[in-house]
Amino acid sequence: MIRQISILAAVFCLLGPLLLFAEMQFTDKAAGQAFPIALLATGFFAYSTASTAFFHYLKNHNSKLLVSYYLGERIIRLCLSLAAAVAYVFSGRDSLLLFVINLLAYHLATMLLMGAIQIKTEKAYK
């Protein structure tokens, strides 16, 4: 589990500067996205760590709730992403499009990494 969380941390640490650098090539407003990117990275990492720990707990106890976990994990991630977008809108900040692009990038990265972690863990237990 430590290796999986380390991979998540490395990807999230690399994704933030890459997003910021790419955005700075296209617009001057990108510098204002540094703090929101850091918050997104922290939030998605915390969620992914808790989700991975819960997944391993269910897997180690041969729980029948794994199917519900798979669905719930994806729904909760989507709801948290939507809540972050709504919170950004109500905060009155500008550059909503840049924020949504960053949010989408972190959401997709989390979705792909968590899926890969779950598939690899499932294969290891069989």
Side-chain angles (χ1 to χ4, degrees), residues 1 13 27 32 41-42 51 54 56 58 82 85 87-89 96-97 100 104 110-112 115 117 120 123:
M1 186 168 119
C13 285
T27 182
T42 303
S51 180
F54 188 61
H56 281 282
L58 291 175
L82 291 174
Y88 189 84
V89 167
L96 178 62
L97 180 61
V100 170
L104 183 63
T110 304
M111 184 174 61
L112 293 173
I117 287 170
K120 189 172 181 176
K123 286 183 180 178

Side-chain angles (χ1 to χ4, degrees), residues 35-125:
F35 185 67
I37 287 175
L39 286 178
L40 286 174
T42 303
F44 275 102
F45 179 72
Y47 173 75
S48 298
T49 302
S51 180
T52 301
F54 188 61
F55 173 70
H56 281 282
Y57 173 81
L58 291 175
K59 198 68 182 155
N60 287 335
H61 289 85
N62 293 324
S63 178
K64 304 294 182 196
L65 298 174
L66 276 175
V67 174
S68 298
Y69 163 80
Y70 291 132
L71 179 62
E73 192 260 335
R74 283 151 182 82
I75 290 173
I76 290 170
R77 184 185 326 113
L78 178 63
C79 289
L80 290 174
S81 294
L82 291 174
V86 169
Y88 189 84
V89 167
F90 285 125
S91 72
R93 297 179 59 117
D94 57 348
S95 303
L96 178 62
L97 180 61
L98 291 176
F99 181 78
V100 170
I101 290 170
N102 295 330
L103 181 66
L104 183 63
Y106 273 104
H107 184 86
L108 290 175
T110 304
M111 184 174 61
L112 293 173
L113 288 170
M114 291 301 294
I117 287 170
Q118 292 163 356
I119 289 170
K120 189 172 181 176
T121 303
E122 285 283 344
K123 286 183 180 178
Y125 275 90

